[in-house]
Amino acid sequence: MIAFRDFALRRGERLLLSNVDLALHAGWRVGVIGRNGTGKSSLFAAIQGEVEADRGDIDVPARVRIASVAQETPALDDAALDFVLSGDAAVHAVLQAERAAMAREDWEAVAEAHHKLEELGGYDATARAGKLLHGLGFTPDTHERAVKEFSGGWRVRLNLARALMTPSDLLLLDEPTNHLDLDAVLWLEQWLLKYPGTLLLISHDREFLDGVSTHTLHLHDGKAKLYTGDYTAFERQRAEQLRQQQIAFEKEQAERAHLQGFIDRFKAKASKAKQAQSRMKRLAKLAGTEAVRIERSLRIDFPAPAKLPHALLRLVHADCGYGEHKVLEQVSFILEAGDRVALLGPNGAGKSTLVKTLVGEIPLLDGERGGHPDLRIGYFAQHTVESLHEGRSPIDHLGDIAPGVPTQQLRDFLGKWNFPGDRAFESVDGFSGGERARLALALIAWRQPNVLLLDEPTNHLDLDMREALAEALSDFDGAIVLVSHDRHLIGLVCDTFWRVADGVAQPFDGDLDAYAVWLRTREAGDAKPKAPAKAEPAPAVAAPAPKKKAANPHKLAQAEARVAELESKLHAIDMDLADPDVYADGGTNAAELSRRRDALSQELATAEEALLALYDVA
């Protein structure tokens, strides 16, 4: 049990939390929620003993084993699998000792290592580490790849896998879904449901919280209040509390009308029965939460497009990729006014590549891309946030794209995006990730696009902003293509789903629940051992085969190993090329990766020829 007694916590001069008295019991899965800056991460640091309470104390039993995700990953030469295994320090040390003992042929030490492994229950440790990597999207041929060779987003996943590998009684996860795709989020949800210890989870993904948490800890106005149940249960309880505090009836009625209009618009726009069902299920969670929504009071909007032609953008028999690397082939995609399309699929399958192709950021390898003369695209991706200029303010950024517009008009617009008063003049240097993302979305909204192409727009946004974004997108009259791991946002905004996997992008006839079922079925199929190929019946009379010179078995093994090694390296580069992070800084990293890929492709072709030549004499 973790107990807080008259607990208070400061960050600098600012009082984050005070008068906290509560207890968290063993086995609970607690979702920790609150706006950015309310002290969620600082609370985790206090539990781990990294910061001291300003007043009162926090009681964490001395024997409790705590696991958390490291914020940084050094550029290590360790293989990914070994890095994850090192999360279980005791087992990892024994495995290393066993390796060293075998190398020096010290069989007594090997036997001792085996005995220790048995005591620790570590015989399946390597298999468990492999399962964690697989669940988080790492293919088997990347398990031996050095940590330093992975890009930033994949290193975050390695840190998460290592934390899950660490034996623990208390697991602290701070925004674990931020760098995951939907497939990995669904896998992580199932893993956490089986975790036997106590879980504290900071997240702004309400579907994830609903799927995992048994309790909700709400940080608000310097207080921490514990609720029983998941996020939806919290909203209902919070709404009831606020009603009991006599929130003005007129405001509640106005919000009820607003929310009903929000629901009615969704109903009117639901074009497919299955997707409409999914949407209604998510909207049902919002019923009765008007008081909570009044408390948030955050509203944003995307202005109506200046022009909205019906046919906006199309791809015809398009091959999409980078240089010689084809990611998707024969994509035919038509986007019309009012379309709401979500792209589903594993990380690296080509969702971001498809979005970049629709934007026109990368050229087609083959096929045709066409857009209406009045097409105006609003494009959001991680590099959009990173392109904000240090030392400049929101009003500076908006002024750059709106020359000659009066300052007061710019201030009024930024105020609607929650940059009121002097906040519009503050440098973005001190902004959080969520504030930067909100500013990037505001700059897109100013341009009045008729197509929104949004690649993971909710990363770093808090729950209030995510709800506001869902409502704003529901009011948008243009077309939307959305990549997101936030199922709540997808379920409310989108009524058409496309699945991007195995080099193909195609419509998916189902909702998010059906996609989760498809994913589990697919993974189960992949896990089953393949049946041996049926033997062909022998001919009635077999002619004697001509004798060939026998191949050297050692050379054959070497050639096969060389081909396997090159294929693994090639696949690893393909994974990196599918990661949007590598196209930052003008695409320098991507260009270097493409050059390395070309060189490896030539080496692989030569190695395959050599292997075939050996097979010919086998």
Side-chain angles (χ1 to χ4, degrees), residues 525-538:
D526 289 346
K528 289 178 183 175
K530 294 182 180 177
K534 190 175 180 180
E536 292 292 327

PDB file of all heavy atoms in Angstrom, residues 525-538:
ATOM      1  N   GLY A 525      -2.703 -16.323 -35.819  1.00  0.00           N
ATOM      2  CA  GLY A 525      -2.341 -17.084 -37.017  1.00  0.00           C
ATOM      3  C   GLY A 525      -0.856 -17.080 -37.262  1.00  0.00           C
ATOM      4  O   GLY A 525      -0.259 -18.097 -37.621  1.00  0.00           O
ATOM      5  N   ASP A 526      -0.223 -15.908 -37.006  1.00  0.00           N
ATOM      6  CA  ASP A 526       1.229 -15.811 -37.195  1.00  0.00           C
ATOM      7  C   ASP A 526       1.979 -16.676 -36.194  1.00  0.00           C
ATOM      8  O   ASP A 526       3.064 -17.167 -36.467  1.00  0.00           O
ATOM      9  CB  ASP A 526       1.679 -14.353 -37.029  1.00  0.00           C
ATOM     10  CG  ASP A 526       1.220 -13.488 -38.193  1.00  0.00           C
ATOM     11  OD1 ASP A 526       0.808 -14.069 -39.222  1.00  0.00           O
ATOM     12  OD2 ASP A 526       1.247 -12.253 -38.059  1.00  0.00           O
ATOM     13  N   ALA A 527       1.374 -16.841 -34.997  1.00  0.00           N
ATOM     14  CA  ALA A 527       2.069 -17.596 -33.944  1.00  0.00           C
ATOM     15  C   ALA A 527       2.008 -19.095 -34.162  1.00  0.00           C
ATOM     16  O   ALA A 527       2.828 -19.839 -33.639  1.00  0.00           O
ATOM     17  CB  ALA A 527       1.451 -17.255 -32.578  1.00  0.00           C
ATOM     18  N   LYS A 528       1.008 -19.561 -34.933  1.00  0.00           N
ATOM     19  CA  LYS A 528       0.870 -21.005 -35.146  1.00  0.00           C
ATOM     20  C   LYS A 528       1.972 -21.525 -36.054  1.00  0.00           C
ATOM     21  O   LYS A 528       2.315 -20.889 -37.044  1.00  0.00           O
ATOM     22  CB  LYS A 528      -0.488 -21.315 -35.785  1.00  0.00           C
ATOM     23  CG  LYS A 528      -1.662 -21.109 -34.840  1.00  0.00           C
ATOM     24  CD  LYS A 528      -2.969 -21.397 -35.556  1.00  0.00           C
ATOM     25  CE  LYS A 528      -4.179 -21.122 -34.661  1.00  0.00           C
ATOM     26  NZ  LYS A 528      -5.442 -21.282 -35.401  1.00  0.00           N
ATOM     27  N   PRO A 529       2.523 -22.695 -35.757  1.00  0.00           N
ATOM     28  CA  PRO A 529       3.525 -23.253 -36.663  1.00  0.00           C
ATOM     29  C   PRO A 529       2.895 -23.605 -37.994  1.00  0.00           C
ATOM     30  O   PRO A 529       1.774 -24.103 -38.050  1.00  0.00           O
ATOM     31  CB  PRO A 529       4.013 -24.514 -35.922  1.00  0.00           C
ATOM     32  CG  PRO A 529       2.915 -24.838 -34.954  1.00  0.00           C
ATOM     33  CD  PRO A 529       2.257 -23.547 -34.593  1.00  0.00           C
ATOM     34  N   LYS A 530       3.612 -23.271 -39.032  1.00  0.00           N
ATOM     35  CA  LYS A 530       3.077 -23.554 -40.367  1.00  0.00           C
ATOM     36  C   LYS A 530       3.142 -25.040 -40.660  1.00  0.00           C
ATOM     37  O   LYS A 530       4.119 -25.710 -40.345  1.00  0.00           O
ATOM     38  CB  LYS A 530       3.849 -22.751 -41.426  1.00  0.00           C
ATOM     39  CG  LYS A 530       3.643 -21.248 -41.281  1.00  0.00           C
ATOM     40  CD  LYS A 530       4.379 -20.493 -42.358  1.00  0.00           C
ATOM     41  CE  LYS A 530       4.171 -18.991 -42.210  1.00  0.00           C
ATOM     42  NZ  LYS A 530       4.923 -18.223 -43.209  1.00  0.00           N
ATOM     43  N   ALA A 531       2.088 -25.543 -41.313  1.00  0.00           N
ATOM     44  CA  ALA A 531       2.045 -26.962 -41.666  1.00  0.00           C
ATOM     45  C   ALA A 531       3.083 -27.240 -42.736  1.00  0.00           C
ATOM     46  O   ALA A 531       3.327 -26.415 -43.611  1.00  0.00           O
ATOM     47  CB  ALA A 531       0.653 -27.321 -42.179  1.00  0.00           C
ATOM     48  N   PRO A 532       3.725 -28.390 -42.665  1.00  0.00           N
ATOM     49  CA  PRO A 532       4.719 -28.700 -43.695  1.00  0.00           C
ATOM     50  C   PRO A 532       4.062 -28.819 -45.058  1.00  0.00           C
ATOM     51  O   PRO A 532       2.907 -29.222 -45.167  1.00  0.00           O
ATOM     52  CB  PRO A 532       5.293 -30.048 -43.236  1.00  0.00           C
ATOM     53  CG  PRO A 532       4.259 -30.616 -42.311  1.00  0.00           C
ATOM     54  CD  PRO A 532       3.569 -29.464 -41.681  1.00  0.00           C
ATOM     55  N   ALA A 533       4.806 -28.416 -46.059  1.00  0.00           N
ATOM     56  CA  ALA A 533       4.257 -28.480 -47.414  1.00  0.00           C
ATOM     57  C   ALA A 533       3.955 -29.926 -47.790  1.00  0.00           C
ATOM     58  O   ALA A 533       4.701 -30.845 -47.447  1.00  0.00           O
ATOM     59  CB  ALA A 533       5.269 -27.887 -48.401  1.00  0.00           C
ATOM     60  N   LYS A 534       2.830 -30.079 -48.475  1.00  0.00           N
ATOM     61  CA  LYS A 534       2.419 -31.431 -48.872  1.00  0.00           C
ATOM     62  C   LYS A 534       3.391 -31.964 -49.926  1.00  0.00           C
ATOM     63  O   LYS A 534       3.686 -31.299 -50.915  1.00  0.00           O
ATOM     64  CB  LYS A 534       1.001 -31.365 -49.435  1.00  0.00           C
ATOM     65  CG  LYS A 534       0.398 -32.739 -49.658  1.00  0.00           C
ATOM     66  CD  LYS A 534      -1.058 -32.599 -50.106  1.00  0.00           C
ATOM     67  CE  LYS A 534      -1.679 -33.963 -50.334  1.00  0.00           C
ATOM     68  NZ  LYS A 534      -3.072 -33.859 -50.776  1.00  0.00           N
ATOM     69  N   ALA A 535       3.851 -33.166 -49.708  1.00  0.00           N
ATOM     70  CA  ALA A 535       4.838 -33.738 -50.639  1.00  0.00           C
ATOM     71  C   ALA A 535       4.167 -34.089 -51.962  1.00  0.00           C
ATOM     72  O   ALA A 535       3.045 -34.580 -51.991  1.00  0.00           O
ATOM     73  CB  ALA A 535       5.455 -34.987 -50.024  1.00  0.00           C
ATOM     74  N   GLU A 536       4.856 -33.784 -53.046  1.00  0.00           N
ATOM     75  CA  GLU A 536       4.349 -34.159 -54.369  1.00  0.00           C
ATOM     76  C   GLU A 536       4.525 -35.661 -54.565  1.00  0.00           C
ATOM     77  O   GLU A 536       5.527 -36.230 -54.131  1.00  0.00           O
ATOM     78  CB  GLU A 536       5.150 -33.412 -55.456  1.00  0.00           C
ATOM     79  CG  GLU A 536       4.899 -31.898 -55.471  1.00  0.00           C
ATOM     80  CD  GLU A 536       3.498 -31.563 -55.904  1.00  0.00           C
ATOM     81  OE1 GLU A 536       2.926 -32.296 -56.751  1.00  0.00           O
ATOM     82  OE2 GLU A 536       2.928 -30.583 -55.392  1.00  0.00           O
ATOM     83  N   PRO A 537       3.539 -36.335 -55.199  1.00  0.00           N
ATOM     84  CA  PRO A 537       3.692 -37.780 -55.441  1.00  0.00           C
ATOM     85  C   PRO A 537       4.869 -38.043 -56.371  1.00  0.00           C
ATOM     86  O   PRO A 537       5.114 -37.298 -57.317  1.00  0.00           O
ATOM     87  CB  PRO A 537       2.358 -38.170 -56.101  1.00  0.00           C
ATOM     88  CG  PRO A 537       1.797 -36.885 -56.618  1.00  0.00           C
ATOM     89  CD  PRO A 537       2.268 -35.807 -55.722  1.00  0.00           C
ATOM     90  N   ALA A 538       5.611 -39.085 -56.064  1.00  0.00           N
ATOM     91  CA  ALA A 538       6.774 -39.406 -56.888  1.00  0.00           C
ATOM     92  C   ALA A 538       6.324 -39.946 -58.238  1.00  0.00           C
ATOM     93  O   ALA A 538       5.303 -40.620 -58.334  1.00  0.00           O
ATOM     94  CB  ALA A 538       7.619 -40.458 -56.179  1.00  0.00           C
TER      95      ALA A 538
END
